[in-house]
Amino acid sequence: LDCSAFEGLNAEGQRVLNTHLPWSNARIYWDAGRDDEGYDRIDRASTAPTEYKGQWNYWSFTKDLNTKRMRIYLNGNLWFIGPGKKKTMEGITSFMIGANGNASKYFYRGRIDDFSVFNTVLADTSIRRWMLEAANPSLPNYQNLQAYYAFDEAEGFTTSDQGPYQYTGML
């Protein structure tokens, strides 16, 4: 089962962001931020295989440097929280959805629909709204949307940013 739903690497090829959904031990890992000592991580064992296979689930991952908390949400509800997380999420030069950061292994075995990146932490109620509605300017924090991939292509292995700003950086 070892897989990464997404991973962002810095110029040295070091992990800055990553989610194992799940790893072979049936744990969900959320890594965010890096310094010379490594990265911040929270993780929790899944309570049932249906949390990561056999049905559609809506996962959200946040990190708030002000409160030093990382959170994992499942289907709009807080699933796990970890305190004391203060490493910044800077310097990402490559980002891969559906595999590790250089697309060489840990391929995600599920399906991903609507992948969004924000430059702010969303409130619980905002996460639930984004879960239930298609991206549009009436949603909370729409102005903070940095990247949005709807994955509405009928075939193939590429997608394009559907956000209002048309992100031109590397993802």
Side-chain angles (χ1 to χ4, degrees):
L1 285 179
D2 293 347
C3 61
S4 288
F6 61 87
E7 185 173 50
L9 305 175
N10 64 18
E12 291 78 39
Q14 298 168 319
R15 176 180 296 161
V16 178
L17 293 176
N18 180 65
T19 297
H20 294 304
L21 190 60
W23 201 244
S24 56
N25 58 2
R27 295 185 78 80
I28 309 303
Y29 292 88
W30 167 218
D31 304 331
R34 178 167 204 87
D35 64 16
D36 293 338
E37 297 173 7
Y39 45 82
D40 280 340
R41 167 177 276 180
I42 62 172
D43 67 287
R44 176 182 161 192
S46 63
T47 59
T50 54
E51 289 181 333
Y52 58 85
K53 71 177 184 178
Q55 69 180 30
W56 183 87
N57 287 304
Y58 188 85
W59 289 94
S60 301
F61 303 89
T62 68
K63 182 171 187 177
D64 187 335
L65 289 173
N66 293 322
T67 64
K68 297 179 179 55
R69 289 194 165 102
M70 291 171 55
R71 291 178 170 90
I72 302 173
Y73 293 83
L74 175 58
N75 297 324
N77 298 304
L78 183 62
W79 188 74
F80 190 67
I81 187 170
K85 307 303 180 181
K86 60 184 179 182
K87 297 175 182 179
T88 62
M89 299 165 285
E90 299 173 346
I92 296 172
T93 58
S94 67
F95 191 88
M96 179 62 60
I97 300 170
N100 70 326
N102 57 24
S104 64
K105 57 186 173 179
Y106 307 131
F107 299 103
Y108 186 66
R109 292 181 174 91
R111 296 179 182 164
I112 298 174
D113 189 27
D114 289 27
F115 187 94
S116 305
V117 177
F118 294 86
N119 66 0
T120 191
V121 177
L122 301 185
D124 297 9
T125 54
S126 297
I127 288 172
R128 285 190 281 282
R129 288 235 7 236
W130 278 91
M131 177 179 80
L132 298 172
E133 298 179 41
N136 69 77
S138 71
L139 286 170
N141 301 99
Y142 186 78
Q143 72 280 5
N144 300 105
L145 184 63
Q146 298 297 295
Y148 175 71
Y149 297 90
F151 296 110
D152 289 340
E153 295 79 9
E155 60 185 41
F157 295 99
T158 59
T159 190
S160 60
D161 188 349
Q162 304 294 311
Y165 45 80
Q166 296 301 306
Y167 179 74
T168 58
M170 182 182 294
L171 277 186

